[in-house]
Amino acid sequence: MLSLAVNVASWNQKEDSNARLAEYEEFESKILEKAANNGLGGLIEFDEELQRFRVKKALEEQMFYYECYEEFRNESFWDELTVRLSDRDLAKSVGQKAWEAMSEDERRAKTKAWEKRYWAEFSKNGIDRVVVMAPPGEG
């Protein structure tokens, strides 16, 4: 569970997140070191490059926390893509100022049809039919 938390925390791209992530990684390393010294050495290795203990790379993808992490990433991607595209469509429909004046609950209520349409599209075709159209003269 700690490794799952560290993996999720590593996605934080805010300026001040590196020091806080290092604290998570240091804590994870200490716990894994203790686990390695108490009968779980077959699951844990010391990463020379990172200078910390970690779950063995060869085993990581087989572990439940990794499955949870990958599922979280996948679901987050599709959810965010759907919500952001729906919000974009709503903002175009009502205007940016009106969109900004809405609460999150109001936005979600007004984007249900768009979200349903995007979910149906992505469920059927994934990103195969997603296209970015640059204005003339760009790209």
Side-chain angles (χ1 to χ4, degrees):
M1 289 183 352
L2 182 56
S3 295
L4 176 60
V6 171
N7 281 337
V8 172
S10 73
W11 282 84
N12 188 342
Q13 298 297 312
K14 293 182 180 177
E15 277 186 36
D16 64 341
S17 67
N18 286 341
R20 295 175 73 196
L21 177 59
E23 292 173 3
Y24 271 61
E25 291 172 338
E26 183 180 334
F27 182 61
E28 177 192 34
S29 184
K30 287 179 182 178
I31 297 296
L32 291 175
E33 180 181 17
K34 289 191 183 298
N37 292 327
N38 286 289
L40 296 175
L43 302 174
I44 298 159
E45 65 189 3
F46 185 77
D47 187 317
E48 293 291 338
E49 183 180 328
L50 298 174
Q51 288 296 297
R52 63 183 180 96
F53 287 88
R54 56 165 285 127
V55 173
K56 286 186 176 179
K57 283 187 179 188
L59 298 175
E60 186 173 46
E61 291 182 7
Q62 300 168 19
M63 301 186 90
F64 180 66
Y65 88 86
Y66 191 80
E67 177 186 332
C68 293
Y69 175 66
E70 287 300 311
E71 185 65 16
F72 167 77
R73 288 184 57 220
N74 185 57
E75 290 301 316
S76 295
F77 171 79
W78 293 114
D79 186 61
E80 281 296 313
L81 184 59
T82 298
V83 168
R84 289 176 190 225
L85 289 173
S86 298
D87 275 347
R88 177 205 60 190
D89 294 347
L90 177 60
K92 283 182 180 179
S93 175
V94 300
Q96 189 66 30
K97 285 187 180 188
W99 180 85
E100 289 172 1
M102 291 181 196
S103 70
E104 185 66 22
D105 288 341
E106 290 173 312
R107 290 178 190 155
R108 294 292 59 81
K110 292 184 181 290
T111 59
K112 281 185 182 185
W114 281 302
E115 289 181 25
K116 186 176 180 179
R117 184 186 71 181
Y118 284 124
W119 274 114
E121 171 64 28
F122 299 146
S123 294
K124 183 177 179 184
N125 299 302
I127 60 170
D128 291 344
R129 297 187 342 178
V130 174
V131 177
V132 175
M133 296 175 53
E138 290 184 23

